Amino acid sequence: MKAQILKKIVKLEENPEPLEMVDLPIPQPNAKEILVRISACGVCHTEIDEIEGRCQPKLPVIPGHEIVGTVQERGNKATKFQVSDRVGIAWIYASCGKCGFCREGKENLCPEFQATGCDANGGYAQYMVVSEDFAYPIPERFTAAQAAPLLCAGAIGYRALNLTGIQDHQILGLFGFGASAHIVIQLAKYKYPHGRVFVFTRPGQKEHQDLAKKLGADWTGATGDNPPANLNYAIDFTPVWKPVVEALRILEKGGRVVINAIRKEEMDKNSLLELNYSTHLWQEKEIKSVANITRKDVQEFLPLAGQIPIIPEVQEFKLAEANKALNLLKRGRIQGAGVLRVD
Ligand SMILES: [Zn+2]
Ligand SMILES: [Zn+2]
């Protein structure tokens, strides 16, 4: 099979082609696993964190954790899916199922958590294997390319929105308007029809702001601008610190900022030194991070996305163009979500 493989940690600016297209044997499913023939795989900012070493992937690895494909073969004890069923695979590849976190429904925090495309081979390839317990049916109304971003950008966005604790009639701020935020705004507008959503982008990202307005944003501006009212809750989707500080500044009393990022780039860490207790934290303001996802997040979100419906805006690339897609993503040049089409 063809696969894009990451062999070593590099900086994307210094080496814009970190992935190498190689031929590998098709993997064989173990007893409880399925072999999936991949149709599409989303391109996520986490791949850049892996490539640049902010996350520690088990090298060499095939990246990619927003996977849609069809079951090609089943292990001899796998019974949940039929051959040719369409399935999705998300960031959660495995958890132990026995520890305190797993037993409390927090398998995202399991010490043995394994991530797809990081601890195990993922979807930048023609085939992959996964336990049948970590695969999900895909609602029929989505094409493979449309469904792919729902598996990370969507499911983690769903988790982040739930972690805010927001209710209807409140104001939500979204910082950064890429793959995840453009799904979360649709979810927020559906679940909280009387609330308002304010969207903050990098200065001059007019296309992102236009897309936000088209999807129902009540106000758009640049990070650092003062919106028409303070935010009850905010979700930060950016790879940097400045938006967190800015969100805290314009947060209403008792509000919460949820950081939807696996790692922060440290280039602007001095922004944190601008944190002033009385301006940014007093009045019971909170900061909370999102770590990974649970299977329940994915299982709840996919049917909801089908019902609303949330149809992601996608920009498609060939598997051979994975490096190009990652470079565009790093520069904030992808509209909606980037997806690799695998033939
Ligand atoms: Zn992701
Ligand atoms: Zn566990």
Side-chain angles (χ1 to χ4, degrees), residues 272-289:
L272 283 177
L273 299 176
E274 294 164 17
L275 269 186
N276 175 292
Y277 181 72
S278 69
T279 311
H280 297 101
L281 291 170
W282 192 53
Q283 302 288 11
E284 307 198 342
K285 297 180 184 182
E286 287 179 278
I287 311 179
K288 190 176 180 78
S289 67

Side-chain angles (χ1 to χ4, degrees), residues 196-266:
R196 283 188 285 168
V197 181
F198 299 163
V199 171
F200 302 77
T201 68
R202 297 181 210 177
Q205 279 186 322
K206 188 170 177 309
E207 287 180 351
H208 285 44
Q209 294 182 1
D210 288 346
L211 178 60
K213 282 191 190 122
K214 190 177 121 193
L215 294 173
D218 297 278
W219 176 90
T220 62
T223 298
D225 288 352
N226 289 316
N230 281 349
L231 313 172
N232 297 109
Y233 297 96
I235 307 176
D236 164 48
F237 298 91
T238 73
V240 290
W241 283 113
K242 182 93 182 158
V244 176
V245 178
E246 274 302 314
L248 288 167
R249 182 179 68 83
I250 52 174
L251 200 61
E252 189 50 275
K253 295 173 191 178
R256 177 183 290 162
V257 177
V258 172
I259 303 178
N260 182 352
I262 186 163
R263 292 291 183 273
K264 286 289 189 190
E265 294 175 9
E266 299 295 336

